[in-house]
Amino acid sequence: MMQPVIRVPWPGRGEPEPRLSPEWLLTNGLGGYASGTLLGIITRRYHGYLVAALPAPFGRVMMFNDLVEHVEFPNGKRYQLGGEERAGVPLKLESSEYLSEFRLEAGLPVWRYELESAVIEKRLVMPHVQNSVYVNYRLVSGAENIRLMIRPSVHFRPHEDAVNTELDTGYVLMVHEDRYEIALGDKLPPLRFLLYGSKAQLTVDKLRIQEIVYRIEERRGYPARGDLWSAGYFNAEIRPDSDATLVASTEGWESMSALGPADALATEEDRRRRLIQRARDKAAGDGCDQAADNETCSQLLLAADQFLITPAGRIKDVARARAVGDEVRTLIAGYHWFTDWGRDTMISLEGITLSTGRFTAAAWILRTFAHYIRDGLIPNLFPEGKNEGLYHTADATLWFFHAIDRYTEVTRDRSVLKMVLPKLVDIFEHHMQGTRFGIGVDPTDGLLKQGAEGYALTWMDAKVEDWVVTPRRGKAVEINALWYNALRLLENWLAEDGQSETASRVAEAAKKAQECFNKRFWSSQSNFLFDVVDGPDGDDPACRPNQLLAISLKHPMLDPAHWKSVVEVASSQLLTPFGLRSLSPEHKDYKPQYDGDLRSRDAAYHQGTVWAWLIGPFIDAWLKVHPEAPGGAKEFLKGFALLNETCVGSISEIFDAEAPYTPRGCIAQAWSVAEVLRCWLKLG
């Protein structure tokens, strides 16, 4: 089976200033990652060669920040392949002239440099579930022996910490012939470096690299100057018959030496090949083999793999699960800064795991979140480096019902449902009686209300200090659509389990909610649904995409007579090539661009900004209105066919609301990838 390849020909030659986007991302199945710009300039606090996922209380830690690389020819000419931008020094990057191509081979980054008569390729590999990175240099053509000189630099810090965090002066260097390790007392595990290659040498040459400039941090209103520290540099000879590979790791020396560079690459390529084949086998069984054989689909399958992790930081979870013969799995919501979020996980579950044939992982995820149900709620998120979740969400728990239904229907396995059914009944009871954050059913109309001062409990959850941008307190349209869907699912499951009395109570709650919903939410004046009713300021007539869930879910809450009107309004006011706007351009609070400092960005986050994940509910709703024309729905996915705009091979979290629809937010987002992939396969 051919491995998918994305090629990005480099247009930088002769440009007045090198292009510092798009970016690349490589992950390790633990939540750790490596990421950077194609030119090797670090522009974000999150850019580095090894962000290690460490046990609590550490979380993800930037361990290996940067790498300055030079090659020297026998004639004495020396070239720099990468570098850093320094304060007060004009950015002049020679490698923009030598880089001829960047590509992803099976999702693994490869740089191709053409220098004099030689072609050199650099590639990265992160072995699965290891905090290690392999940086390989290969002489593709050119018979001359070339000397490679590489200088790693570090600044150990939590990956979210500002780049101007004080550089610790307590680094301890331990040298062992062709390798060394850097330790920071007992604060963190040591970072170990090992160079494989002909005539490999290590030169200890301690150096503080001052005032690195991080352009994107500066644009986003964060500290943008910081120092790095280097213990020395490595030398090796690269020849047609001899590569050079730098290995950096927080694993032990024995683990590092057990997996040589060739084995690391071969095993990871094989793992990725099997992932694609498994998904294609699943698609063939569903009659979608043509869609799965598409190269864009293969790239999305590899992108999906980046989000599925074993949470290395939560040792208690792992120990508890393994004691009963289980495993802990979860989904990272987005790279670089998100952890695992309940809402994002439940929305993403079908696309990331079920569509790709990873049924066991899906079951692990559902059982993991079921363990954390408290007061009828699943966690909204697990903060970095913590073992306990936060529960401030009104919809994540309702999406949990949806995810269980999709798992049960796709896999035909009812073991997870059987295990969680008592918990689902408990969730129902808590919501009927009222639970945390003002979440509970209004007994007068059966609709689900939510809201607590200072919290944003729906997916539109932007908050800056005490300012909740879109509080949406009251009875939100998608919360009630999800509540009704959950009730109907639970009713059927209870009936099948012989619990007819409880099933009848659930059915009564569903019937009452649906009747009142259609009376209260439909606006005959606008011909679409209110976004919120019974809010602090009355009913909110804003045209938002949330109303589509009243059609798109398995059990649609909205009267079918109104489906066409809602879909047409969404098509005319919200639909873009990259998802749906979060607010109609006709609204007074509409923001066409997401940029600037934190306050400016969050003011636009759900006030017009396009969200890629919403293309899924839109297509599901559109198909219910146009069941005879599935081919027409494929047109809505065309914008996602080229995966090389921001993060090569993945899909961003959000996009500006107007052309050219600049990608923004996280460079790789789970529910963006999940919903595009799910729809891609669904539409054949």
Side-chain angles (χ1 to χ4, degrees), residues 389-437:
L390 301 179
Y391 288 81
H392 52 298
T393 171
D395 57 344
T397 308
L398 306 178
W399 279 111
F400 184 54
F401 283 76
H402 169 79
I404 292 168
D405 172 64
R406 300 311 304 137
Y407 173 82
T408 305
E409 184 170 309
V410 171
T411 66
R412 309 295 183 192
D413 170 27
R414 300 182 67 85
S415 64
V416 174
L417 174 59
K418 183 178 180 180
M419 186 272 283
V420 302
L421 190 56
K423 294 176 181 284
L424 300 182
V425 174
D426 181 67
I427 289 171
F428 166 72
E429 300 291 359
H430 271 90
H431 280 67
M432 293 296 292
Q433 297 164 14
T435 184
R436 303 185 193 181
F437 306 108

Side-chain angles (χ1 to χ4, degrees), residues 163-175:
V163 298
N164 66 348
T165 302
E166 183 63 30
L167 184 66
D168 202 301
T169 57
Y171 291 113
V172 176
L173 174 66
M174 298 181 64
V175 181

Side-chain angles (χ1 to χ4, degrees), residues 408-540:
T408 305
E409 184 170 309
V410 171
T411 66
R412 309 295 183 192
D413 170 27
R414 300 182 67 85
S415 64
V416 174
L417 174 59
K418 183 178 180 180
M419 186 272 283
V420 302
L421 190 56
K423 294 176 181 284
L424 300 182
V425 174
D426 181 67
I427 289 171
F428 166 72
E429 300 291 359
H430 271 90
H431 280 67
M432 293 296 292
Q433 297 164 14
T435 184
R436 303 185 193 181
F437 306 108
I439 300 169
V441 169
D442 182 342
T444 63
D445 59 13
L447 296 174
L448 191 62
K449 56 185 174 59
Q450 55 81 31
E453 194 68 33
Y455 288 92
L457 302 178
T458 73
W459 79 275
M460 293 185 162
D461 55 1
K463 185 181 179 210
V464 184
E465 297 176 347
D466 294 331
W467 177 38
V468 179
V469 184
T470 49
R472 303 180 72 231
R473 294 193 296 273
K475 298 163 185 173
V477 63
E478 83 283 7
I479 299 297
N480 280 280
L482 286 161
W483 172 239
Y484 176 76
N485 186 62
L487 290 175
R488 287 304 187 196
L489 291 172
L490 182 59
E491 173 198 351
N492 292 336
W493 293 331
L494 289 169
E496 291 166 358
D497 196 52
Q499 300 184 49
S500 56
E501 184 177 339
T502 307
S504 295
R505 281 205 304 125
V506 174
E508 289 173 8
K511 181 181 179 182
K512 183 176 183 179
Q514 186 182 33
E515 288 176 353
C516 292
F517 177 89
N518 281 281
K519 291 176 183 177
R520 298 294 316 283
F521 276 89
W522 179 250
S523 170
S524 56
Q525 182 178 356
S526 60
N527 283 327
F528 58 80
L529 297 171
F530 286 105
D531 189 56
V532 178
V533 300
D534 292 348
D537 301 317
D539 298 345
D540 182 1

Side-chain angles (χ1 to χ4, degrees), residues 8 10 18-26 33-49 62 65-67 69 81-85 91 93 95-96 99 101-104 109-113 122 124 212-217 219 336 644-648 667:
V8 184
W10 191 250
R19 186 159 61 99
L20 297 182
S21 63
E23 300 169 51
W24 56 270
L25 173 71
L26 190 61
Y33 61 88
S35 184
T37 64
L38 272 56
L39 275 179
I41 293 287
I42 51 178
T43 60
R44 299 182 188 267
R45 72 180 91 174
Y46 307 100
H47 283 167
Y49 283 87
M62 178 65 74
N65 300 63
D66 199 12
L67 191 58
E69 308 143 303
L81 302 184
E84 68 281 331
E85 184 174 3
L91 179 61
L93 196 59
S95 64
S96 181
L99 180 63
E101 179 186 75
F102 174 88
R103 65 182 185 272
L104 289 183
V110 181
W111 291 258
R112 184 179 180 90
Y113 298 97
K122 166 186 170 181
L124 262 62
I212 300 293
V213 177
Y214 297 77
R215 287 193 179 195
I216 293 180
E217 298 302 310
R219 193 180 78 203
H336 307 92
N644 58 6
E645 287 299 313
T646 297
C647 180
V648 180
I667 65 170

Side-chain angles (χ1 to χ4, degrees), residues 130 134 194 196 252-261 263-264:
Q130 291 187 36
Y134 289 63
L194 168 63
Y196 289 88
W253 289 117
E254 188 173 349
S255 296
M256 292 173 65
S257 58
L259 193 64
D263 289 337

